[in-house]
Amino acid sequence: MSKSNTLFIGLDVHKETTDVAYVSDKLDDRVQYHGTINTNLRAFNKLLRYFKAKANKLCVTYQAGPCGYWLYRHLNSHGIECWVVAPSLTPKAPGDRVKTDKRDAMTLARLARTGDINSIYIPDSCDEAIRDLIRCREDAMLDYRQAKMRLKSFLLRHGHPCTGRQNWTEAYRRHLGAIHFLEPAQKIAYQHYINIVTEQFERLQHLNIELETLAQSWRWYPLVQRLCVLRGIRFLSAVTLVAELGDLRRFNHPRSLMNFVGLTPSEYSSGTRQRLGAITKTGNTHARRILVEAAWSYRFSPKVSEEMQKRLQGHSAKLQNLSWEIQQRLCKRDAKLRARGKEKNKIVVAIARELVGYIWTLHCRLTHKVRQ
């Protein structure tokens, strides 16, 4: 029996099991269901040996999910083409109301043969490692905030409300140390809350130091430094944006990047009627949050503060001038939208959307590495 030229394999990957379906590149062949295997390297290696005997080339497709990209890297190490597709971008018939693992695997194999699905961007292992550390820091920040809220709630219940902004400084620690409780149980509970906040704060500071150290040897560190010339974007914001967005050269136009972070308005138009809705909020939520937070800083008049001057040091005069032009442009646009009576949240989104275009420019135009 002759081998097929190309065999398209669809995988529905789960934590413990994976359903497998395949189809050849011949249009008259039907999709075949292979069965269910265990989700481990031994089972996948056995599966690959079986399919290599049936075709000259293998093309494996599976949907992105909580299992990560280890399977993609394992297949690439064996020289096998692999596509990782987004579940939200997988075509589905409106009347299809039946969903099973078997049908999902067969659908992926069929769509791969017809070319109706595209693979998402896969970061390399180093980029993913930096991104994991950044998200670990974000989790530590949330744990730190929750610990402080529990402490403040405890103090509020017992007549010691916290007013204003409290930073975890030595002066504030002395203030907490001056608060006493008569009941032994309350003393224990109070000290427990303080210890948790202290521990979370030290853990957060440790992660900040580790991130700054590891980022200096990262291949995208020059881009991180370049983004720090923008108003509202410091080191943590810049490294988060670069880690979450990945290689920006894969976007041929800044509007493609705007669509990726979900800052473009949705649209439902028909005939002569045009209707624009809220932003799509698709793509990377971490990057969109950082961009919106940075956009709030353009509410104020253009200014090169002392902290901004330190960030501009070491950069070329061309980049410093571009930073000032961007700041003037966005601050002027913010003022113009406020004068027109626009809602402040819509203004911030508009500024964040335009800021995305300048980020694309800083990466692609100044480095002269735009993908042709």
Side-chain angles (χ1 to χ4, degrees), residues 56-201:
N56 297 321
K57 178 183 177 182
L58 301 181
C59 181
V60 181
T61 306
Y62 72 95
Q63 289 182 334
C67 294
Y69 305 124
W70 65 269
L71 178 57
Y72 169 85
R73 297 191 175 101
H74 177 69
L75 294 174
N76 277 352
S77 65
H78 286 73
I80 298 175
E81 185 178 3
C82 181
W83 300 349
V84 183
V85 300
S88 59
L89 300 179
T90 303
K92 181 181 178 181
D96 189 1
R97 301 295 181 180
V98 179
K99 183 186 183 303
T100 62
D101 296 343
K102 175 182 176 181
R103 289 171 63 93
D104 289 345
M106 297 177 67
T107 300
L108 288 175
R110 183 178 65 254
L111 293 175
R113 182 179 64 175
T114 58
D116 292 331
I117 51 178
N118 297 316
S119 179
I120 63 175
Y121 169 76
I122 307 297
D124 63 20
S125 57
C126 182
D127 293 354
E128 188 178 15
I130 294 293
R131 189 181 66 179
D132 289 339
L133 181 58
I134 292 174
R135 293 185 179 182
C136 177
R137 185 203 169 273
E138 290 183 357
D139 294 337
M141 173 62 76
L142 293 177
D143 294 338
Y144 175 53
R145 291 177 180 175
Q146 291 178 356
K148 289 198 298 183
M149 289 301 300
R150 295 190 188 101
L151 175 61
K152 292 179 181 180
S153 299
F154 178 83
L155 294 174
L156 181 62
R157 290 197 305 268
H158 298 286
H160 299 282
C162 298
T163 58
R165 298 181 60 183
Q166 292 83 28
N167 295 322
W168 201 245
T169 60
E170 291 296 331
Y172 187 64
R173 291 177 182 177
R174 290 193 296 269
H175 168 70
L176 295 177
I179 300 176
H180 299 284
F181 295 92
L182 298 178
E183 296 294 333
Q186 290 179 341
K187 290 181 180 180
I188 296 174
Y190 179 54
Q191 189 61 44
H192 176 72
Y193 284 128
I194 292 181
N195 292 340
I196 292 179
V197 175
T198 303
E199 178 184 353
Q200 295 295 342
F201 177 77

Side-chain angles (χ1 to χ4, degrees), residues 40-50 74-75 78:
N40 54 53
L41 293 178
R42 182 179 179 181
F44 281 118
N45 290 334
K46 182 179 178 180
L47 182 71
L48 294 178
R49 289 193 298 267
Y50 171 79
H74 177 69
L75 294 174
H78 286 73

Side-chain angles (χ1 to χ4, degrees), residues 107-366:
T107 300
L108 288 175
R110 183 178 65 254
L111 293 175
R113 182 179 64 175
T114 58
D116 292 331
I117 51 178
N118 297 316
S119 179
I120 63 175
Y121 169 76
I122 307 297
D124 63 20
S125 57
C126 182
D127 293 354
E128 188 178 15
I130 294 293
R131 189 181 66 179
D132 289 339
L133 181 58
I134 292 174
R135 293 185 179 182
C136 177
R137 185 203 169 273
E138 290 183 357
D139 294 337
M141 173 62 76
L142 293 177
D143 294 338
Y144 175 53
R145 291 177 180 175
Q146 291 178 356
K148 289 198 298 183
M149 289 301 300
R150 295 190 188 101
L151 175 61
K152 292 179 181 180
S153 299
F154 178 83
L155 294 174
L156 181 62
R157 290 197 305 268
H158 298 286
H160 299 282
C162 298
T163 58
R165 298 181 60 183
Q166 292 83 28
N167 295 322
W168 201 245
T169 60
E170 291 296 331
Y172 187 64
R173 291 177 182 177
R174 290 193 296 269
H175 168 70
L176 295 177
I179 300 176
H180 299 284
F181 295 92
L182 298 178
E183 296 294 333
Q186 290 179 341
K187 290 181 180 180
I188 296 174
Y190 179 54
Q191 189 61 44
H192 176 72
Y193 284 128
I194 292 181
N195 292 340
I196 292 179
V197 175
T198 303
E199 178 184 353
Q200 295 295 342
F201 177 77
E202 294 176 352
R203 182 176 301 175
L204 181 61
Q205 296 302 314
H206 175 73
L207 288 174
N208 289 337
I209 295 174
E210 293 291 343
L211 181 58
E212 292 180 4
T213 303
L214 293 174
Q216 293 179 4
S217 59
W218 189 29
R219 63 167 179 155
W220 296 117
Y221 185 66
L223 176 59
V224 172
Q225 293 180 309
R226 196 176 298 126
L227 293 185
C228 289
V229 304
L230 296 176
R231 182 174 181 174
I233 299 182
R234 296 183 176 88
F235 170 76
L236 287 176
S237 299
V239 72
T240 302
L241 283 174
V242 176
E244 295 293 342
L245 296 178
D247 190 355
L248 300 184
R249 290 173 295 181
R250 70 184 192 273
F251 299 104
N252 295 323
H253 193 272
R255 182 165 292 276
S256 300
L257 181 57
M258 298 174 190
N259 294 332
F260 178 77
V261 295
L263 288 174
T264 53
S266 58
E267 183 175 359
Y268 187 80
S269 302
S270 179
T272 58
R273 179 182 179 184
Q274 184 180 19
R275 181 179 178 182
L276 299 178
I279 58 175
T280 59
K281 292 187 179 180
T282 58
N284 195 292
T285 58
H286 300 273
R288 184 168 62 252
R289 174 180 58 83
I290 294 297
L291 291 167
V292 171
E293 289 178 357
W296 282 102
S297 63
Y298 293 95
R299 295 174 296 166
F300 310 102
S301 302
K303 178 183 178 182
V304 180
S305 62
E306 181 179 354
E307 190 266 341
M308 189 70 180
Q309 291 177 359
K310 294 180 181 179
R311 303 211 308 263
L312 290 172
Q313 291 179 356
H315 293 285
S316 63
K318 179 180 179 181
L319 188 58
Q320 295 183 21
N321 294 333
L322 181 60
S323 172
W324 176 245
E325 293 174 3
I326 292 174
Q327 185 179 166
Q328 286 184 311
R329 160 72 181 178
L330 295 182
C331 291
K332 182 179 179 180
R333 178 167 173 78
D334 184 276
K336 183 181 297 185
L337 292 176
R338 281 190 284 109
R340 292 169 53 185
K342 292 290 185 179
E343 186 181 352
K344 59 180 181 180
N345 290 334
K346 293 183 179 180
I347 297 175
V348 170
V349 170
I351 299 300
R353 182 167 54 248
E354 192 164 344
L355 182 61
V356 171
Y358 288 118
I359 291 175
W360 182 87
T361 301
L362 285 176
H363 178 51
C364 298
R365 294 297 185 187
L366 296 182

